[in-house]
Amino acid sequence: MPPESTSNSRQKTMVIVGILALIVIATAIALYAKNKDEVGTVTENPAQTSTTTESQASGSTVEYKDGTYSATGNYQTPGGTESITVKLTVANNVVTTSDVTTSQTSQEAAEYQAQFKANYSPFVVGKDINDITLSRISGSSLTPRGFNEAVDAIKSQAQA
Amino acid sequence: MPSSPRLRLSQPFSLKFEAIGTSWTIEVYEAYDRLGDLQKSIQQRIAAFDHVYSRFRADSVVAQIAREAGNYRLPDDAAPMFNLYQQLYDLTDGAMTPLIGQALSDAGYDASYSLQPMPIRSVPAWQEVMTYDGATLTAKRPVLLDFGAAGKGYLIDLVAQIMVQADVRHYSIDAGGDIVTVGQTLNVGLEHPDNLNQVIGVAQITQGSICGSAGNRRRWATYHHVIDPHSLTSPKHIKALWVTAPTALVADGLATALYFAPADSLRRYFEFEYAIMHEDYSLVSSPGFPAQFFGADS
């Protein structure tokens, strides 16, 4: 990997953190909208967002309400405040499109954001296995029964 | 799926069983009248492999090497797997190593699945503790080996050899999502690591192997099935990845090596295609990876 100056990599990291936070926010809005029956738009400073999503692998599906969700985040650069907007469209419980738009005030920010979009697109999204004809599934290897029983035992011990 | 003109059975013959800690499905897509013998040969082959390489049974050769230093004459099938491990060990600066067995066990992924993390002992360098000359393994001290990274893929190849010897021409072998298919196109869903009801794409494989790796199963405490011997932690930068290659040995081995080495450096030595889903859900795949992914434009 080519060496990068600290400020470059810090700015790159900030952009990545910003976009990740926006995805979290957009997902949160989708969940919120499911309950509240509305579609929302939110503007937040991702640097102050402490939400994290740690999805548990499980057979259950989270229900999302159809709609388009967007979130805009701002971050500080030496050249001033920059913003990125992430837009997700959800239909039938599946993210059908996702898009990242950027607005830059400085040439440098434009370059970094273009670089980000080039390197981090596409974000993949899931489709329901019931809607697709598949012969097989590949992912992490199915676990032996003993392993799953051990995990269950530890979980119940933790609750006791 | 279009059916092959050779396909004479309305349903493929399907053999399902559990072995080496995962679920197997073997399908034969042609009329074949010695299925009973075939099934027996397959299960004997798997049992023989497990008896040598499993670190989960006390009577295996691997368990014996963990108890005693010495010279161990290994079966002829050991060489291709050891050679691949040696090559990937070198290409990953020692990160992919069969010597990870003790670290996995210390972390809790032990023979009794205790899943109770203990302090992990440091992982020794290959040349310090063992040599393999193509037939005999010399352990300079007791070492706990783990062939989880490439062993299953290799066993799939060995089962495929049984199919060839039995004159079966159209078949697929699926061991917990690591797959070889010969002469039959499979649409292989690429499982979403966060949601087992979803796939992020579909790969189409007609000949050869696809193997996957993800941290969503075999996960406990802060670990999953891959541990970096240098940091003694499980890598988090990759959520899931898939590799296609002519053999399952190579596909499976690379599915672990890609946690530790850039794809471009490995592609100088191996013929393979890959797709990597990073922790931010971004996807990077080689141009020839035979799949359609669901993303912003689909």
Side-chain angles (χ1 to χ4, degrees):
Chain A
M1 220 187 283
E4 284 177 309
S5 80
T6 319
S7 70
N8 281 4
S9 53
R10 188 186 304 138
Q11 188 165 7
K12 209 168 161 186
T13 308
M14 282 179 66
V15 175
I16 294 164
V17 167
I19 293 198
L20 286 177
L22 285 167
I23 291 167
V24 170
I25 294 165
T27 309
I29 295 167
L31 283 170
Y32 178 79
K34 164 69 184 168
N35 296 328
K36 293 289 179 184
D37 200 34
E38 66 186 25
V39 173
T41 301
V42 72
T43 303
E44 277 193 40
N45 183 348
Q48 293 171 354
T49 305
S50 59
T51 320
T52 56
T53 49
E54 180 68 27
S55 304
Q56 289 291 326
S58 74
S60 68
T61 316
V62 181
E63 294 283 326
Y64 294 91
K65 184 173 168 54
D66 288 358
T68 298
Y69 306 95
S70 75
T72 300
N74 299 314
Y75 64 98
Q76 297 300 320
T77 74
T81 303
E82 307 290 350
S83 75
I84 297 181
T85 301
V86 174
K87 201 162 98 176
L88 302 177
T89 302
V90 177
N92 296 326
N93 233 17
V94 167
V95 178
T96 53
T97 63
S98 64
D99 188 36
V100 178
T101 52
T102 57
S103 70
Q104 316 86 17
T105 51
S106 78
Q107 182 59 34
E108 203 185 11
E111 279 167 24
Y112 283 121
Q113 291 186 356
Q115 202 181 338
F116 179 89
K117 286 178 73 175
N119 287 334
Y120 286 85
S121 173
F123 292 97
V124 287
V125 296
K127 278 196 181 175
D128 202 298
I129 49 175
N130 299 319
D131 299 338
I132 307 168
T133 307
L134 297 174
S135 349
R136 311 236 69 91
I137 300 271
S138 177
S140 56
S141 292
L142 296 171
T143 44
R145 205 172 291 122
F147 188 96
N148 296 332
E149 283 167 2
V151 170
D152 290 345
I154 287 168
K155 278 183 188 158
S156 53
Q157 280 165 24
Q159 286 163 0
Chain B
M1 202 190 332
S3 60
S4 154
R6 288 169 180 270
L7 190 64
R8 277 177 282 162
L9 302 175
S10 57
Q11 292 282 323
F13 164 71
S14 169
L15 173 62
K16 289 173 191 284
F17 55 92
E18 297 234 335
I20 64 158
T22 197
S23 310
W24 292 66
T25 301
I26 296 175
E27 291 187 338
V28 173
Y29 307 101
E30 63 197 26
Y32 189 78
D33 56 9
R34 284 171 287 150
L35 290 170
D37 291 345
L38 180 65
Q39 178 167 348
K40 206 170 150 194
S41 306
I42 290 168
Q43 287 179 327
Q44 280 172 352
R45 189 69 191 85
I46 292 173
F49 188 88
D50 195 53
H51 192 232
V52 176
Y53 300 107
S54 175
R55 69 174 176 89
F56 296 97
R57 47 189 287 181
D59 63 346
S60 70
V61 175
V62 159
Q64 208 183 334
I65 299 168
R67 288 190 294 265
E68 268 180 75
N71 296 320
Y72 293 89
R73 170 77 206 219
L74 297 180
D76 292 344
D77 65 27
M81 185 167 71
F82 263 88
N83 292 343
L84 181 85
Y85 266 99
Q86 180 78 67
Q87 198 177 0
L88 292 176
Y89 180 87
D90 295 339
L91 291 171
T92 60
D93 289 328
M96 177 163 156
T97 171
L99 291 157
I100 202 67
Q102 190 62 55
L104 284 164
S105 182
D106 288 345
Y109 192 11
D110 52 35
S112 59
Y113 300 137
S114 81
L115 307 183
Q116 304 291 342
M118 309 287 279
I120 300 181
R121 281 163 271 183
S122 68
V123 179
W126 185 312
Q127 60 278 11
E128 278 173 24
V129 294
M130 66 173 179
T131 57
Y132 173 71
D133 65 4
T136 299
L137 176 87
T138 302
K140 297 173 191 170
R141 62 173 173 83
V143 284
L144 179 53
L145 301 175
D146 176 85
F147 294 101
K152 179 162 57 129
Y154 187 44
L155 182 53
I156 294 171
D157 290 340
L158 295 175
V159 171
Q161 284 176 16
I162 302 276
M163 307 295 271
V164 171
Q165 284 160 13
D167 286 328
V168 180
R169 297 200 172 105
H170 303 83
Y171 60 90
S172 66
I173 304 165
D174 174 358
D178 292 339
I179 296 162
V180 158
T181 185
V182 175
Q184 176 75 18
T185 301
L186 299 180
N187 291 321
V188 180
L190 307 176
E191 184 180 81
H192 196 306
D194 292 347
N195 185 338
L196 304 186
N197 295 319
Q198 290 189 343
V199 292
I200 62 158
V202 180
Q204 210 167 62
I205 315 283
T206 301
Q207 192 79 19
S209 177
I210 181 166
C211 292
S213 178
N216 60 328
R217 293 195 185 89
R218 292 176 207 252
R219 184 167 84 164
W220 71 101
T222 60
Y223 301 103
H224 59 74
H225 68 297
V226 178
I227 290 183
D228 181 337
H230 304 310
S231 67
L232 300 180
T233 60
S234 288
K236 302 281 192 288
H237 63 297
I238 289 175
K239 278 192 95 77
L241 64 84
W242 293 269
V243 176
T244 60
T247 67
L249 170 64
V250 169
D252 197 18
L254 290 171
T256 296
L258 281 167
Y259 282 90
F260 301 119
D264 289 346
S265 69
L266 296 170
R267 265 155 75 90
R268 287 203 287 271
Y269 300 91
F270 298 97
E271 181 193 333
F272 72 100
E273 304 292 340
Y274 66 95
I276 298 174
M277 178 183 181
H278 293 104
E279 59 180 342
D280 64 354
Y281 301 91
S282 64
L283 183 92
V284 175
S285 62
S286 56
F289 190 80
Q292 186 206 349
F293 291 98
F294 308 132
D297 301 320
S298 65

